[in-house]
């Protein structure tokens, strides 16, 4: 008579689900009465389970977390990095338990970041990027148009005060404004 599945799981330091899985997959054998001989099962477990100690590793799973932030800036944390862990397993003390914990942690971080963005959007702290770009473009165009119309409005008054030809003053002001707007148009503004 051997150990029960739960007792063997405690002996092994894994969950009883991991032991059930090992029996179903044939990695270890149960006795006829359903109990487990610990010495025989330990040997089978080591022989039939691939681990980094034996040189054969389980496939590596990479989890990439999208980098979200609530303020449109660059708030990034360690959860945005890729996490390597062993797939499979299920033992609380094994590598499978660690990767499951890491995956759950990543999942919770993503949920928290997503909720932070939703909350900021509801509060009106976030704006739609294409809409903002269109608005800035519209403002810049109206500013440009105002400057292009300025020489026609003021050139006659300035010419009268300076006792110059109105047409000459208009052409000089218009050329100066166009050159200045051309210089401003060559500036490269970055939108991060």
């Amino acid at each position: 008579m051997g150990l029960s599945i739960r007792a063997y799981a405690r002996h092994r330091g894994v969950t009883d689900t991991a032991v059930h899985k090992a029996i179903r997959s044939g990695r270890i054998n149960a006795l006829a009465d359903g109990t487990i001989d610990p010495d025989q099962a330990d040997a089978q477990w080591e022989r039939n389970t691939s681990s980094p100690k034996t040189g054969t590793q389980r496939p590596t799973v990479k989890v990439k977390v999208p980098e979200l932030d609530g303020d449109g800036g660059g708030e990034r944390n360690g959860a945005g990095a890729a996490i390597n862990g062993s797939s499979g397993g299920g033992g609380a003390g094994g590598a499978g338990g660690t990767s499951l914990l890491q995956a759950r942690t990543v999942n919770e971080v993503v949920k928290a970041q997503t909720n932070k963005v939703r909350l900021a959007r509801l509060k009106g702290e976030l704006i739609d990027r294409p809409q903002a770009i269109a608005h800035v473009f519209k403002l810049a165009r109206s500013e440009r148009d105002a400057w292009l119309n300025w020489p026609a409005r003021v050139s006659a008054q300035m010419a009268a005060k300076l006792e110059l030809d109105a047409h000459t003053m208009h052409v000089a002001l218009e050329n100066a404004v166009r050159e200045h707007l051309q210089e401003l148009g060559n500036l490269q503004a970055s939108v991060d």
Side-chain angles (χ1 to χ4, degrees), residues 1-8 19-20 23 28-37 41:
M1 176 130 177
L3 296 174
S4 69
I5 291 177
R6 284 190 180 160
Y8 180 70
V19 176
H20 281 288
I23 292 171
I28 63 171
N29 295 323
L31 299 174
D33 61 355
T35 59
I36 299 171
D37 177 20

Side-chain angles (χ1 to χ4, degrees), residues 21 23 27 46 92 98 121:
K21 222 184 238 188
I23 292 171
R27 285 188 295 157
E46 295 300 323
T98 303
R121 188 175 294 139

Side-chain angles (χ1 to χ4, degrees), residues 47-78:
R47 184 175 57 244
N48 297 330
T49 304
S50 61
S51 69
K53 293 177 188 173
T54 61
T56 56
Q57 294 183 347
R58 293 183 178 134
T60 299
V61 176
K62 286 193 175 197
V63 179
K64 180 77 171 164
V65 177
E67 294 174 349
L68 301 173
D69 55 271
D71 59 310
E75 178 182 313
R76 289 168 176 57
N77 57 27

Side-chain angles (χ1 to χ4, degrees), residues 29-177:
N29 295 323
L31 299 174
D33 61 355
T35 59
I36 299 171
D37 177 20
D39 296 329
Q40 179 186 359
D42 283 344
Q44 289 174 341
W45 191 290
E46 295 300 323
R47 184 175 57 244
N48 297 330
T49 304
S50 61
S51 69
K53 293 177 188 173
T54 61
T56 56
Q57 294 183 347
R58 293 183 178 134
T60 299
V61 176
K62 286 193 175 197
V63 179
K64 180 77 171 164
V65 177
E67 294 174 349
L68 301 173
D69 55 271
D71 59 310
E75 178 182 313
R76 289 168 176 57
N77 57 27
I83 294 179
N84 294 320
S86 301
S87 66
T98 303
S99 70
L100 178 62
L101 178 63
Q102 288 173 335
R104 285 183 178 162
T105 302
V106 168
N107 187 34
E108 291 302 314
V109 168
V110 169
K111 283 181 186 177
Q113 289 174 339
T114 303
N115 288 336
K116 184 177 179 183
V117 170
R118 282 188 189 138
L119 181 62
R121 188 175 294 139
L122 288 173
K123 287 181 173 181
E125 295 171 352
L126 292 181
I127 58 172
D128 185 32
R129 183 182 177 120
Q131 185 179 14
I133 290 172
H135 185 68
V136 169
F137 181 79
K138 183 179 174 183
L139 288 174
R141 176 163 282 177
S142 66
E143 183 80 16
R144 183 202 66 182
D145 291 345
W147 273 106
L148 287 175
N149 292 328
W150 180 75
R153 280 195 345 244
V154 299
S155 63
Q157 295 169 357
M158 290 177 72
K161 286 182 183 176
L162 297 173
E163 299 175 357
L164 297 172
D165 179 42
H167 179 68
T168 306
M169 176 62 82
H170 177 76
V171 170
L173 283 175
E174 192 171 70
N175 287 338
V177 167

Side-chain angles (χ1 to χ4, degrees), residues 167-189:
H167 179 68
T168 306
M169 176 62 82
H170 177 76
V171 170
L173 283 175
E174 192 171 70
N175 287 338
V177 167
R178 287 188 185 277
E179 285 176 14
H180 184 65
L181 289 175
Q182 186 66 34
E183 289 172 9
L184 291 175
N186 291 334
L187 291 177
Q188 295 296 323

